[in-house]
Amino acid sequence: MIEGFFVRSRSMHMSYTVGTYLAERLSQIGLKHHFAVAGDYNLVLLDQLLKNPSCEQVYCCNELNCGFAAEGYARANGAAAAVVTFNVGAFSALNAVGGANAENLPVILISGSPNSNDYGSGHILHHTIGIPDYDYQLEIAKKLTCAAVSITSAHDAPEKIDHVIRTALREKKPGYIEIACNVAGQPCAVPGPISAVIGHVSSDPATLQAAIAAVAAFVDAHEKPAVLIGSKTRASEAEAASIKFADALGCVVATMGAAKSFFPEDHPSYVGTFWGSASSPGVREIFDWTDSIIAIAPIFNDYSTEGWTAWPKGPNVALLDKDVVKVSDRSFDNIALSDVLEGLVAYYAEKPKKDATVVEFGRIHSTSDRIDADIAYEVAETKLTRADIQSAVQGLVTPETTIFAETGDSWFNVMRMKLPRGARVELEMQWGHIGWSVPATFGYAVGSPERRHILMVGDGSFQLTAQEVAQMTRRKLPVIIFLINNAGYTIEVEIHDGPYNNIKNWDYAAVVEAFNAQDGKGRGLRVTTSAELAEAVNVAVANTEGPTLIECVIPRDDCTSELISWGRHVASANARPPAQ
Ligand code: TPU
Ligand code: MG
């Protein structure tokens, strides 16, 4: 009787535990799913999370994949969460957390952790390295996230959870929460309004005005500006403002490799990818011709600058980053990129267009370029080529399509795609973990079931994370996978070859069939001619109840010309001798 009364009165007041508090916050920030792998340090927490029906639990085959699934989900949905067990699980997931950091995605890693009584007790616990010191996972997580907390008491759990989620959303970086296994089910405070967690920080008004004036002065002082869109534009929430800025300025706009699809390709100012010798036709030349570059949220690393050979820097480059502007030896911080761009839009609204680069691009850019030639896709009983695969993918792209492209020649193939407005490309060029794309596509597809999902992945990369195709099968996700079987690590072959670039061949199509077991509807098809590829694409489109993997067999050196030239530049940068 007394117990029944107690339960009723608690539910009338919407009682919370640490776990249900966390679930409430995850669902309030828009997560309809979280990803998980079970382990005894997190089982009570998983029970608590299951109590919230608006944030479904989705399982992965291992914790690396769980982290990458969350990373992919964050790409579709703005944020994500992955729940794992202590050390043995979390250490694998931390690799993906490093990736989320590099890729500017707010992924919350949640780890079950030891019973609070075991901290400081001298007890040795399973799954640990065998010392009675349990803070080393937290210390590692601190290096890889923007906020990391350990919860060993329900008392301070709410503010710790809110701190991590708030910081991750603001910084667009991963966060980390570990919860002692005996604390996850403990009663805790009721959540306050979610605005405390998701509220935006305003730009500093004086700095904003000064930054806008400095960029305007920079642009006014030049005749032939060009805009370069970088991969942090999405994390900066500045995609829409960049389009308005391009409209107002009227000069050419190129995207960096990692920012493919972050600017509409049907926009009159859009010229293609800027990536040194791997640029779209005419783009490198127009960037050579320009007298100034406005770089929006770029990441200039050895890969994106083609071994430091195509690195826009110096006094003719204005850098407009997520919350910092650097122009003409001045620096302004604590300002939102979209506010800066909106201010510039207002400034240029009544001014003549700075369209010299658009006019010149029209002169130097020939329409009979390589990309159009590649799109002529001939269905024939001829040996399959890389160009056939590129054309087949291109033929599937709709405004509702997202293409994931794995590290390897898939990067350069996808650069050649012509995207209708709405189509998206997802790349992991800063972290560059081969195998990322399989679980990330899975997570993305869970978060955006209304879209068409295409994955281009090499044979070498696929071997790292292949088992996550089984989760696509489990959830009946109709992902179309183009697996490029070129018998090895061709991207590495083009950088530096050796026996380590050869891999054991698999029957990839059969692997997917094996994942079906009794109930799956995945399809695996192996193609060696363009006619077989065309047939397989039809099968893939018709299969709406599971993934379809098309194993595309091509020769080892049948790669894009961009990979060859990019590989040569990267090899030169790697081979620089030590400075004297
Ligand atoms: O198209 P292709 O043949 O270049 O792609 P594939 O077959 O997926 O080969 C990728 C080869 C590759 C390696 C081995 N790309 N980068 N790496 C180095 C590497 C090793 N381990 C991890 C986790 N990530 C890496 N990028
Ligand atoms: Mg390969």
Side-chain angles (χ1 to χ4, degrees), residues 458-460 484-490 503:
D459 47 354
I484 297 129
N485 185 348
N486 53 12
Y489 296 152
T490 295
I503 61 173

